[in-house]
Amino acid sequence: MKEVVGLAFRADVGVDLGTATTLVYVKGKGIVLQEPSVIALDQYTNKFLAVGEDARKMLGRTPGNIVAIRPLKDGVISDYNITERMLKYFIQKSLGRMFLKPRVIICVPSGVTEVEKRAVIEASDEAGALKTYLIEEPIAAAIGAGVDITEPNGNMIVDIGGGTTDVAVISLGGIVVSRSIKVAGDECDEAIIKYIRKKYNMMIGERSSEDLKVSIGCAYPFEEEKYMEIKGRNLLTGLPMNVEVSSTDMLEALREPVTEIVEAVHEVLERTPPELAADISNRGILMTGGGALLKGLDKLLNEKTGISANLAKNPIESVAIGTGKSLESIEFLEKSMTQGDQSRYR
């Protein structure tokens, strides 16, 4: 992560405001910040104690008066005030001192409601934006992955984030068919926690679950079995315990959320116009987002759809890069964006 300090007159900013991670792209500089979307605050004084990675380390480890909060759930704002403060902190950390307020583009899942869009715009405006625009995640992901979305060709994007999976077919700069489901990285973590509890009578936390997913998690069987030892609390005795978990365990644990993602891809393909479907068959499916890194997911999609699935060059940063690049062509993309009102300041 790069920290930007100093003095500037104005900078345009692209924000990938994710359920799990927030990335900030500054025009002319690229991605300057990548932090977990977590805030730790004192319940008694309402004071921020930590933001980002420092706050993430506190999840599940805080005393009674301190809470570590993830203010976004399933890709949308669940705690408006905390989101506003977090966004303000990230923008200020990325830009340093500014004479003029920045113009901001924030990406949102393709299935958000008008009310949810308005909440994001207002949070951004209150955080210090001059104007706020919204861009849908599949379009940002495609731009960030190097796809020319202005051509009359069909491109299928599967963007798997922390809270949502967006499946979309894009042509001529717009979304033709799409579906957004609230099954992604977080659901996979929860599925692992439930599986470990059921099979081993052991409770593990979110961080341990994510470690398992990253290390030995899979959507398709490995050629060679993998193992990882984890620690947790025995539900019968209440004492700490260790167990060795296999990649086969992970395959079983993740079966349900992975199946839902594959079904969403199926549904979008069924609704895709024939000419665009032919393009997708030739070009393949492009996978972006941190969840797309789940091992074997590309093989599973290929097996279930008969279409090759390819991982973007930089799947985690694709949406943020695309959001930032769209700053250079707002006029063309404006038809697929929602523009915020001129900011109101107290």
Side-chain angles (χ1 to χ4, degrees), residues 100-329:
L100 300 173
K101 291 160 185 168
R103 183 174 58 169
V104 177
I105 293 183
I106 299 179
C107 63
V108 293
S110 59
V112 296
T113 65
E114 290 303 317
V115 172
E116 291 164 344
K117 287 180 181 179
R118 179 56 53 186
V120 174
I121 291 169
E122 289 182 356
S124 175
D125 286 351
E126 291 296 329
L130 175 68
K131 284 186 178 180
T132 300
Y133 299 86
L134 303 186
I135 182 171
E136 292 177 314
E137 284 180 3
I139 287 183
I143 295 170
V147 176
D148 185 353
I149 65 170
T150 63
E151 294 181 352
N153 297 315
N155 295 282
M156 174 171 264
I157 307 295
V158 180
D159 180 57
I160 308 171
T164 60
T165 293
D166 282 277
V167 184
V169 174
I170 298 171
S171 180
L172 287 171
I175 293 177
V176 180
V177 187
S178 71
R179 188 174 178 214
S180 180
I181 59 172
K182 295 178 180 180
V183 177
D186 288 352
E187 283 289 322
C188 290
D189 292 342
E190 289 176 19
I192 291 170
I193 291 171
K194 289 177 183 176
Y195 181 87
I196 297 297
R197 183 172 62 218
K198 183 178 180 181
K199 180 171 182 179
Y200 296 103
N201 282 318
M202 185 175 82
M203 178 61 72
I204 61 172
E206 290 179 20
R207 291 184 64 187
S208 297
S209 174
E210 187 175 2
D211 288 343
L212 276 172
K213 180 181 68 178
V214 171
S215 299
I216 63 171
C218 57
Y220 201 87
F222 286 120
E223 292 182 4
E224 187 176 333
E225 190 83 343
K226 296 187 177 182
Y227 298 90
M228 179 179 172
E229 187 177 270
I230 55 164
K231 300 176 182 180
R233 175 168 54 85
N234 189 306
L235 291 172
L236 300 178
T237 66
L239 299 174
M241 68 178 288
N242 296 2
V243 296
E244 190 173 63
V245 180
S246 69
S247 54
T248 300
D249 285 333
M250 290 297 96
L251 186 66
E252 185 62 33
L254 294 169
R255 189 181 305 279
E256 187 174 331
V258 166
T259 298
E260 289 190 54
I261 292 171
V262 172
E263 287 175 352
V265 174
H266 257 290
E267 183 184 322
V268 171
L269 283 170
E270 287 171 359
R271 291 160 46 209
T272 301
E275 293 297 331
L276 296 182
D279 290 340
I280 293 166
S281 180
N282 292 329
R283 291 166 173 257
I285 298 168
L286 184 64
M287 299 166 57
T288 64
L293 293 170
L294 181 65
K295 299 172 184 71
L297 186 56
D298 53 346
K299 290 182 181 179
L300 184 66
L301 280 173
N302 178 240
E303 182 180 278
K304 297 295 184 182
T305 64
I307 301 171
S308 64
N310 309 299
L311 198 62
K313 187 176 180 181
N314 198 340
I316 294 176
E317 296 181 353
S318 290
V319 172
I321 292 170
T323 304
K325 283 184 177 179
S326 65
L327 290 164
E328 299 167 7
S329 53

Side-chain angles (χ1 to χ4, degrees), residues 2-14 24-27 29 32-33 88-104 127-129:
K2 294 170 280 185
E3 191 170 335
V4 177
V5 292
L7 187 63
F9 288 96
R10 171 174 287 160
D12 290 337
V13 178
V24 179
Y25 182 109
V26 176
K27 188 175 180 180
K29 295 179 180 177
V32 298
L33 182 143
K88 185 174 184 178
Y89 173 87
F90 285 151
I91 290 174
Q92 288 180 345
K93 185 174 181 179
S94 300
L95 297 179
R97 293 173 59 202
M98 297 285 297
F99 280 134
L100 300 173
K101 291 160 185 168
R103 183 174 58 169
V104 177

